[in-house]
Structures are given as structure tokens and as C-alpha cells.
Amino acid sequence: MKQLLILCQQEEKKLSQLSKQRADAQRRVLANLKQKEALTQMLNEYHQTSSHTTSPLLLQNNANILSTLKPLQKKLKKQEVLLQHEHQRMDGLWRKQLGRQQGLSWLYEQRKSEQLRALDRLEQKQLDDLSSRYQGRK
């Protein structure tokens, strides 16, 4: 029984660790999404500025900035896919661990309940034995 309790506690610790890792993976996905949105907004602004600019120097500057930002956008898209896969993997591990932890917790509670019922039966048997001995003396 004590080993089962220890095992339950270990599984809870693992679940807690996986919860933290899962949350970290989610934060990384969200941070990447924010970066991607900010970069897309910047790209849109430079595209709009380019269409309204008549100065060759500003057009060249916008073109240079756009050529610098485009690779960053591709990098963030690739990173997004990797981060989403990692988050899905962590979520799967967390769900499996949650199932294990809940199963062991249920088993522990069942065993504890069985043990208490067995003790109750034993106590009742002892009371019945004492009662029958006492009645036998009268």
C-alpha cells in the first residue's frame, strides 16, 4: 500500500513537470505567433510606403528592408511548425501521464477502501465474538 502511495506521488511529480513543459511549449508557440504578426505588420507597412513613395532613395531603402524581413518571415514560419509539433508532442505526453496518474490514484483509493472494509469486517467479527462469549456466560 505504501509503495502504491509513493508511486502515486512520483506520477504526480511527473505530471507537474510535464505540465510546466507543456505550458512552456505553448508560450513559445504564442511568442512566435506574436513575432510573426509583428513582422507581417511591418512588411505590410513597408509595402504600403513603397507604393506611395516617389523618392528613389526611400524606394531603395524600403526594398532593402523588405529583402531583409522576408527571410525572417520564412524563418518564423518554419519555427512555428516546429514549435507546434513540439507543443503537440508535449500535450500528448501530458495526456498519457494524466491518464497514468489518475489510474494509479483511483487504484490507490480502491485499495485503501478495500483495506478499510477489511478492517471494519475484522472489527465487527471481533465484536460479534466478544458478544457471543459474553452472552454465553449469562
Side-chain angles (χ1 to χ4, degrees):
M1 187 71 167
K2 184 164 173 89
Q3 293 90 357
L4 189 55
L5 178 62
I6 291 169
L7 187 58
C8 283
Q9 291 169 343
Q10 289 172 344
E11 294 301 314
E12 285 177 26
K13 286 179 187 176
K14 288 179 190 175
L15 183 63
S16 176
Q17 289 170 345
L18 285 172
S19 293
K20 290 175 187 173
Q21 292 173 349
R22 179 178 172 236
D24 287 342
Q26 179 66 31
R27 278 191 287 279
R28 287 191 298 273
V29 167
L30 292 174
N32 176 273
L33 183 63
K34 286 180 183 179
Q35 288 175 345
K36 213 172 83 174
E37 287 172 355
L39 187 60
T40 300
Q41 186 178 356
M42 286 174 61
L43 285 166
N44 289 338
E45 288 172 6
Y46 279 107
H47 277 296
Q48 289 174 358
T49 305
S50 293
S51 65
H52 295 92
T53 302
T54 55
S55 166
L57 186 57
L58 285 176
L59 282 172
Q60 182 61 42
N61 188 32
N62 276 357
N64 288 341
I65 290 173
L66 287 172
S67 68
T68 303
L69 294 179
K70 286 286 184 183
L72 288 175
Q73 189 178 34
K74 287 181 182 178
K75 181 182 175 186
L76 285 173
K77 283 181 182 179
K78 287 180 185 177
Q79 197 174 35
E80 177 186 20
V81 171
L82 294 174
L83 289 171
Q84 285 177 343
H85 284 298
E86 177 63 11
H87 180 259
Q88 289 170 351
R89 186 182 76 81
M90 290 308 303
D91 188 59
L93 290 173
W94 178 82
R95 288 176 189 275
K96 286 179 186 176
Q97 183 62 31
L98 178 64
R100 272 195 298 272
Q101 185 270 332
Q102 287 178 337
L104 281 171
S105 200
W106 176 85
L107 180 62
Y108 174 75
E109 291 301 322
Q110 288 296 110
R111 295 276 168 86
K112 193 165 103 175
S113 178
E114 288 171 8
Q115 195 175 38
L116 288 173
R117 283 193 302 269
L119 285 172
D120 286 347
R121 284 191 302 268
L122 180 61
E123 183 180 349
Q124 187 61 49
K125 184 181 181 310
Q126 289 172 344
L127 288 173
D128 290 347
D129 289 348
L130 281 174
S131 175
S132 66
R133 283 186 205 153
Y134 183 73
Q135 286 182 352
R137 290 186 180 165
K138 285 187 176 181

